[in-house]
Amino acid sequence: MFLGSNSITALRHFLDGYQAAEREYAVCRKGELFPLPFQYMHEYVGYRLKERNNMGWTCQILNACGGAEDVALQKFFEFYDEFRQIRMRRYWKAVLSEDNIARHDQVKCVSHSDGTDVEGDHVMNPAYRNPLAVYVMELTIPVCIFAVETETDLCLARWFFTSAEKAKRAGMFPRGVEACFGPVDVWKEFSARNISFDKKFDFVL
């Protein structure tokens, strides 16, 4: 890659352009979930720096390095190498019941993929389109993530949770599985280092 300067901000501009091109040409990842998609880098940096905020990984690392762009760039690659090594210890899967899906369909929100109507108002829809099952994954760092499988996608929640129970329950922030689907009665546990889906990966807030 060509950054033009020894700078974490230059790297961020490069990656923003790369990701914009992926969106423009509808490049979709599917298959094995690990190594984790880059969208989790923000959460990983927050985990490593022991702080949670909305500044983004660039500002978090830059602040931790006292504003030194070159030092921050080096620190990014240290964190990124660690990030690429993360795998899964085990996961839990629950097939959604009719009650879970009905509960979900009653709650309308503005998702990242919704547009506006002819009046310019935000379109309100359920968070997931045709959800089938949910997964909670315990990682090799002491955090968990969750995902919702729909008919066409694997929708990944962007947040890290400090335990599987917090990922499963409703909570306040970040909100877990039951915030969307109500009580989920039956979770089956599996041991695995990776998991594969023949569906494109998507992300929800």
Side-chain angles (χ1 to χ4, degrees), residues 110-122:
V110 179
S111 77
H112 69 289
S113 59
D114 291 328
T116 55
D117 60 22
V118 293
E119 302 295 328
D121 296 323
H122 287 293

Side-chain angles (χ1 to χ4, degrees), residues 6-26:
N6 190 20
S7 158
I8 193 172
T9 301
L11 172 67
R12 179 58 188 263
H13 293 329
F14 178 92
L15 293 176
D16 284 349
Y18 184 90
Q19 291 165 346
E22 286 187 320
R23 291 191 297 271
E24 178 70 20
Y25 291 100

Side-chain angles (χ1 to χ4, degrees), residues 52 142-144 160-167 174:
R52 167 166 268 161
V143 300
C144 295
F160 282 176
F161 295 81
T162 55
S163 70
E165 286 307 307
K166 288 185 177 179

